[in-house]
Amino acid sequence: MGKAEAISHGAATIVNAIATGKGAAVGVDLWTKARVQLTGKPGTIEGNIVSDPAEKPVLIEKTVSKVLEHFNLKGKFGAEVDTWSNIPIARGLKSSSVAANAVTLATVAALNKTLDDLTILNLGVDAAIEAKVTITGAFDDACASYFGGVVVTDNLKRKIVKRFKVDEALTVLFYVPAKKVYTSGSNVQRMRKMVSLVKIAYKQAVEGNFWSALTLNGLIYSSALGHNPSIAIDALEAGALAAGLSGTGPAVTAIVSEEKIDRVKDAWQVYEGDILQASLNHEKAKVVG
């Protein structure tokens, strides 16, 4: 029976797609690895999130199932899947998109098959929608996780509108509160009331002003969802190039040049929670064994 392992990297929101169906995100070097072992027990997919065992493995099961279905092999194989990650779950840090990418890649490789990038992405997005871990399918997050760099997308059409490579060596800081907030429980009506403002942020992203887009988007969604905007503003005051809510929160992203890292961290010390440090990622998701 086939076995394979794959890795996909993290992402941070530039423009959240929930209000308009269009979004943008940037790759970061946090990661999720998935190991898929095929079994001769069709219909039985056992998922285990090693780094957060209390979480339900619904997404893992749906993802493997989608891949088997794609190749008409649902009646032939089951699977045992382990994932492990340094991305905290349910904080707005794209843990679902990243896991779906890694599990899809590993399952395809375990079957000894190949698929083009967009098919792999779409299988993961379909699984995320079925698992109800996303509202729009998070095609923007999936693309930034899979390809790295800045990706601007139309999530409804599942189309990549633009991609940018960021040349500066920038650091990404995340303020991560202890409390989990699941995207599926977010107030969509309130977010959709912000459409005209989110369109401005999206236009900025398309034009390549992605850091202004990130800050503007963060302020818009923080006010819609009742998150504290001061966390992002404190980071800006401490010298961050951009700062704002990631996803539907509660995590906040700050894009920081090297000499300002300590200042932003100091500014965030007054808030309860953890600070994660990452770099921008330009590396594509891949099979590693």
Side-chain angles (χ1 to χ4, degrees), residues 93-247:
L93 295 179
K94 323 300 177 206
S95 55
S96 302
S97 297
V98 186
N101 283 342
V103 173
T104 305
L105 268 175
T107 308
V108 171
L111 289 165
N112 206 12
K113 304 273 190 190
T114 51
L115 287 175
D116 63 277
D117 296 332
L118 278 176
T119 305
I120 288 173
L121 281 162
N122 279 316
L123 287 169
V125 169
D126 288 340
I129 291 171
E130 255 182 50
K132 296 185 168 59
V133 295
T134 170
I135 291 168
T136 68
F139 184 71
D140 47 350
D141 300 339
C143 289
S145 157
Y146 190 87
F147 293 112
V150 171
V151 187
V152 183
T153 61
D154 183 326
N155 285 19
L156 302 178
K157 292 182 179 162
R158 296 208 193 165
K159 195 174 118 207
I160 294 173
V161 176
K162 265 195 177 170
R163 285 174 65 186
F164 299 93
K165 191 173 185 300
V166 185
D167 291 324
E168 308 111 292
L170 297 170
T171 293
V172 188
L173 295 177
F174 295 104
Y175 161 69
V176 188
K179 190 176 82 142
K180 292 186 175 184
V181 174
Y182 294 91
T183 304
S184 54
S186 301
N187 188 329
V188 178
Q189 290 319 107
R190 282 179 73 88
M191 290 187 267
R192 295 219 165 117
K193 290 279 180 276
M194 300 291 188
V195 165
S196 58
L197 294 172
V198 178
K199 281 182 175 168
I200 297 169
Y202 183 77
K203 187 167 184 284
Q204 288 290 313
V206 171
E207 287 169 4
N209 304 321
F210 24 85
W211 302 144
S212 339
L214 189 157
T215 302
L216 179 57
N217 171 83
L219 287 168
I220 296 164
Y221 279 96
S222 290
S223 61
L225 295 166
H227 292 298
N228 180 2
S230 297
I231 300 167
I233 295 165
D234 287 352
L236 294 168
E237 208 178 357
L241 291 173
L245 195 70
S246 193

